[in-house]
Amino acid sequence: TNMEDLRQKYNPEGSLLRRAQLRMLDILVAVDGIFRRHHIDYWLHGGTLLGAVRHHGFIPWDDDMDIAVRTSDIPRIRKVLQHELPERFCYQDMTTDPHFCMAIAKVRDKHSLFDEPDSRQLKERGIYIDIIPMEEIISAKNQYPINYLYRHCIWGRSRYSNRLLDRFLGYVCYYPAKLWIACIRLWTKLLHTHTWGDIYGWAFTIEEKESDIFPVRDIEFEGHTLLGPANPDGFLRAIYGDYMQIPPEDKRATHTSRIEFYD
């Protein structure tokens, strides 16, 4: 399939999706400037990195944007973004919004609405980019059960899920799960596996070689110089396999049914 044909079909200039993509890019350019000023590493992740390599920008049908950071940098990231983001953007995680129910963070645009069923209880619901903390892990297989348990604990505590089991897990298993994760992190430090994955409690379990991530390096995206992992090819193959293959039409998913702009 011709890339230009895909752009014309999914995100032609001026379309709602294209406007949303460009707003996400505005957010990331602001974040990139702050992170570079403070010498904080980040790298394009998931479909955003795939878009950079395969499309030199957004995957035409994609309506989200992911970057990754070190889990250990999150306290510093929280502080600098809350102080230095332009007024129109805001930082959001479990410490800033009691109903936020994810182990990751987001930076949102306050002048828009990105309507998703799982965000309707949140204080801020604008177009966003995801900040996904990554850290050294033992293996994705080892990470899966604690991720599942901890995620449901978070859902129960944040009232995102009113299922009895999730509420029970949230109030009875949350702290034991956190202790379990702390023990695994300590064990991982002792082993020094050089294997990285997304933060504990996030929905996805992936395995990446440390050498495929660091040192981060410049990568082109929509005409901007952003940061990507050291070896984008190795990083993407670990997640997607043959990532240059365009997926069939029924696999080209978007996240939202409604986007609104207020400026």
Side-chain angles (χ1 to χ4, degrees):
T1 307
N2 182 291
M3 296 294 179
E4 190 51 48
D5 291 347
L6 287 172
R7 268 193 290 273
Q8 285 310 311
K9 179 172 181 176
Y10 289 100
N11 64 338
E13 288 306 320
S15 64
L16 203 56
L17 177 56
R18 185 62 180 158
R19 287 176 65 202
Q21 289 175 342
L22 293 176
R23 188 66 56 93
M24 290 171 213
L25 186 58
D26 289 344
I27 298 171
L28 184 49
V29 167
V31 169
D32 170 84
I34 294 167
F35 282 5
R36 286 182 192 259
R37 206 156 51 240
H38 289 276
H39 307 288
I40 296 170
D41 281 342
Y42 79 89
W43 52 100
L44 300 188
H45 189 10
T48 308
L49 179 63
L50 173 56
V53 173
R54 195 172 70 195
H55 304 270
H56 308 293
F58 284 97
I59 296 171
W61 53 90
D62 203 4
D63 63 357
D64 82 342
M65 195 170 212
D66 299 329
I67 64 169
V69 296
R70 291 180 179 89
T71 297
S72 57
D73 281 335
I74 282 291
R76 197 154 62 109
I77 286 168
R78 187 181 291 133
K79 189 176 170 191
V80 300
L81 290 184
Q82 284 181 297
H83 281 93
E84 297 184 31
L85 278 170
E87 186 280 326
R88 62 169 301 126
F89 303 142
C90 65
Y91 176 85
Q92 185 180 50
D93 69 7
M94 287 193 288
T95 69
T96 70
D97 188 332
H99 296 296
F100 192 81
C101 60
M102 287 177 260
I104 64 164
K106 294 179 186 281
V107 176
R108 288 192 185 263
D109 167 56
K110 294 193 272 191
H111 297 200
S112 59
L113 170 72
F114 191 86
D115 190 26
E116 295 175 294
D118 64 357
S119 71
R120 288 185 184 149
Q121 78 281 21
L122 299 179
K123 287 193 285 190
E124 295 291 347
R125 297 178 55 209
I127 288 167
Y128 62 84
I129 67 167
D130 283 329
I131 300 178
I132 301 171
M134 289 186 72
E135 58 191 84
E136 207 169 6
I137 61 169
I138 296 171
S139 71
K141 192 175 159 191
N142 158 284
Q143 197 185 16
Y144 180 79
I146 184 61
N147 269 13
Y148 184 85
L149 173 66
Y150 188 47
R151 188 163 76 252
H152 283 269
C153 288
I154 293 169
W155 288 358
R157 284 178 76 82
S158 68
R159 303 289 178 90
Y160 165 63
S161 167
N162 278 316
R163 283 196 327 156
L164 206 54
L165 177 61
D166 289 339
R167 298 296 295 282
F168 172 80
L169 291 173
Y171 287 96
V172 175
C173 299
Y174 179 72
Y175 290 107
K178 278 178 86 81
L179 181 61
W180 184 7
I181 289 167
C183 291
I184 296 172
R185 281 177 169 148
L186 183 61
W187 182 239
T188 309
K189 251 190 182 141
L190 294 172
L191 289 177
H192 202 40
T193 60
H194 301 286
T195 300
W196 282 58
D198 292 344
I199 190 171
Y200 288 95
W202 183 225
F204 302 99
T205 45
I206 62 167
E207 262 185 50
E208 294 287 355
K209 289 183 197 157
E210 189 173 68
S211 58
D212 281 345
I213 302 175
F214 303 110
V216 298
R217 64 179 181 84
D218 286 348
I219 191 167
E220 290 303 309
F221 188 95
E222 298 282 351
H224 291 264
T225 302
L226 301 173
L227 289 173
N231 177 13
D233 176 67
F235 193 98
L236 290 169
R237 280 187 192 284
I239 302 174
Y240 301 108
D242 181 13
Y243 60 87
M244 291 304 283
Q245 200 67 36
I246 302 288
E249 202 156 339
D250 61 345
K251 296 279 193 288
R252 299 171 193 171
T254 52
H255 295 75
T256 182
S257 53
R258 187 162 62 105
I259 300 168
E260 291 178 9
F261 291 89
Y262 304 138
D263 61 2

